């Protein structure tokens, strides 16, 4: 087999080796059918079984009650930035947003195209190093309140999910879905681009409380209309069949590790290894406010961009790849999603220690 490396990419990101191997094994002939998953009809029995199992497993893993609809949609998380106002803006005509990072900001900008928006709190002027706090009086007339549970670029997360009372809470959980238990009943909608903790890119998993269906605007495109998609089991048009199949394999893998509760323990350990080292390091410095540190994306810097570059190059030579921070922030970012084994994090910390020893600051 080709040598694989530890891939710290923020997304598309590393997938479990056993999932890739199973897909490889089944690629030419799915369960002795003589055809591949990518060649079969989405309306056929074999694919419908895959689809139903994927929905079943996700509901089981996240403990999603039947009062929620699970959809596998096109267009990644970003298409939902527009689908949210198109499906939800109603009598109040206003969507509220918490601006805690680049994608939260993009969601807000898209929302503005379709109706009124209010930004209740923002940490933009402080380079998104923390998640801004906000409060609600309970009297606000908002059709929804949108948050981003984990900010992929800045390495921060909501430490607690807020209580928004009767205002439906809409959460972009692209970069921490399935990494820890989420209190489902606090949310109106949880959605997530698949390319971090689920499978290939291009797909979005949307978990929608059923009472939020049926509110879409007349001019909402059918593929983006959750009510249409819910009636059609995500198949108003041809769904991303390969992505759904890969998601199903990923869900099976996660279940075998003890589900979300099992992986959370490992994720806490992985993040602690990195943050404990960052806190004692004389060369590296974590960039996120410790209270809001993400367990999925660990962002850090050295004293200058030349040392950053040397570090990224040196790490790649040791098989620790894709550690460069996002282009808008620079520095480094280690994305340690569910499929990153603890051995990868140990190898990274070991390399950081030896790099520090040879670069005394
Ligand atoms: N939200 C978050 C938190 C993300 O990290 C990303 C992608 N990195 C997106 C939204 C956009 O996802 P997509 O590219 O699937 O549209």
């Amino acid at each position: 087999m080709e040598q694989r490396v530890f891939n710290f990419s923020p997304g598309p990101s590393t997938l479990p080796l056993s999932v890739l191997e199973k897909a490889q094994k089944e690629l030419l002939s799915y369960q002795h059918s003589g055809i591949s998953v990518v060649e079969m009809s989405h309306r056929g029995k074999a694919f419908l079984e895959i689809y139903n199992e994927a929905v079943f497993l996700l509901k089981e893993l996240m403990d999603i009650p039947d009062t929620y609809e699970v959809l596998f949609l096109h267009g990644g998380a970003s298409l939902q930035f527009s689908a949210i106002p198109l499906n939800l803006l109603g009598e109040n005509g206003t969507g509220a947003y918490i601006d805690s990072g680049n994608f939260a900001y993009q969601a807000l900008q898209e929302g503005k195209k379709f109706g009124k928006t209010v930004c209740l709190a923002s940490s933009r002027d402080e380079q998104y190093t923390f998640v801004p706090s906000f409060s609600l009086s309970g009297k606000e007339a908002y059709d929804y309140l949108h948050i981003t549970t984990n900010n992929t670029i800045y390495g921060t997360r909501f430490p607690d999910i807020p209580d928004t009372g009767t205002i439906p809470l809409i959460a972009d959980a692209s970069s921490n879905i399935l990494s820890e238990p989420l209190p489902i009943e606090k949310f109106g909608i949880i959605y997530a681009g698949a390319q971090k903790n689920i499978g290939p890119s291009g797909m979005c998993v949307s978990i929608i409380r059923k009472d939020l269906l049926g509110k879409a605007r007349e001019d909402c495109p059918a593929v983006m209309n959750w009510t249409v998609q819910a009636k059609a089991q995500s198949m108003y048009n041809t769904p991303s069949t390969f992505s759904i199949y890969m998601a199903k394999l990923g869900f099976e893998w996660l279940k075998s590790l003890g589900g979300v509760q099992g992986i959370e323990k490992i994720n806490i350990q992985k993040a602690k290894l990195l943050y404990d080292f960052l806190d004692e390091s004389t060369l590296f410095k974590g960039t996120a406010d410790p209270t809001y540190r993400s367990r999925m994306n660990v962002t850090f810097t050295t004293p200058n961009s030349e040392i950053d570059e040397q570090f990224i190059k040196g790490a790649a030579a040791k098989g620790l790849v894709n550690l460069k921070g996002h282009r808008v922030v620079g520095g480094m970012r280690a994305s340690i999603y569910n499929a990153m084994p603890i051995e990868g994090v140990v190898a990274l910390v070991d390399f950081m220690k030896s790099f520090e020893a040879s670069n005394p600051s």
Side-chain angles (χ1 to χ4, degrees), residues 10 75-79 81 103 148 150 152 172 174-175 193 195-196 202-203:
S78 301
L79 197 67
F81 296 167
F103 294 107
T148 310
N150 185 82
T152 323
D172 174 358
S174 293
S175 48
Q195 65 273 27
K196 298 153 199 309
M203 185 171 83

Side-chain angles (χ1 to χ4, degrees), residues 93-315:
T94 305
Y97 290 78
I98 307 303
D99 175 23
S100 59
N102 203 54
F103 294 107
Y105 185 77
Q106 278 180 17
L108 168 62
Q109 297 313 307
E110 286 303 296
K112 280 185 185 164
K113 294 179 183 170
F114 303 103
K116 269 193 291 181
T117 55
V118 287
C119 179
L120 299 182
S122 173
S123 49
R124 191 171 175 80
D125 290 345
E126 289 86 10
Q127 287 72 52
Y128 294 124
T129 48
F130 60 94
V131 171
S133 52
F134 66 98
S135 62
L136 292 168
S137 70
K139 294 206 183 97
E140 292 87 349
Y142 304 140
D143 289 314
Y144 59 85
L145 194 160
H146 181 278
I147 63 169
T148 310
T149 50
N150 185 82
N151 299 285
T152 323
I153 295 176
Y154 299 89
T156 62
R157 79 193 260 274
F158 269 81
D160 298 299
I161 300 301
D163 218 321
T164 56
T166 55
I167 303 169
L169 178 64
I170 315 300
D172 174 358
S174 293
S175 48
N176 70 337
I177 194 168
L178 291 168
S179 69
E180 59 181 309
L182 287 173
I184 298 293
E185 315 231 347
K186 277 191 166 183
F187 297 93
I189 296 166
I190 301 172
Y191 68 102
Q195 65 273 27
K196 298 153 199 309
N197 273 336
I198 297 174
S201 61
M203 185 171 83
C204 184
V205 169
S206 292
I207 301 155
I208 303 171
R209 211 174 61 214
K210 287 180 179 165
D211 65 288
L212 297 174
L213 297 173
K215 297 173 186 282
R217 270 166 46 162
E218 284 279 303
D219 59 354
C220 176
V223 274
M224 293 165 76
N225 185 319
W226 299 329
T227 314
V228 170
Q229 288 284 21
K231 275 194 194 129
Q233 289 194 293
S234 316
M235 295 186 205
Y236 163 77
N237 65 333
T238 315
S240 183
T241 52
F242 189 65
S243 297
I244 294 171
Y245 161 74
M246 290 294 286
K248 185 198 87 128
L249 297 185
F251 298 156
E252 285 167 351
W253 169 81
L254 186 52
K255 189 172 168 178
S256 77
L257 292 185
V260 172
Q261 282 79 6
I263 204 79
E264 183 190 33
K265 289 197 192 97
I266 302 170
N267 287 334
I268 289 173
Q269 257 180 299
K270 289 188 311 197
K272 187 168 172 350
L273 276 172
L274 265 166
Y275 286 122
D276 281 355
F277 174 65
L278 285 174
D279 286 342
E280 69 181 36
S281 171
T282 51
L283 182 70
F284 298 99
K285 195 170 171 292
T287 54
D289 179 328
T291 310
Y292 302 97
R293 280 173 168 173
S294 166
R295 295 174 184 165
M296 296 283 102
N297 311 99
V298 178
T299 48
F300 55 99
T301 55
T302 69
N304 66 59
S305 56
E306 271 155 42
I307 305 179
D308 288 353
E309 222 167 279
Q310 280 170 22
F311 171 77
I312 292 162
K313 246 178 142 178

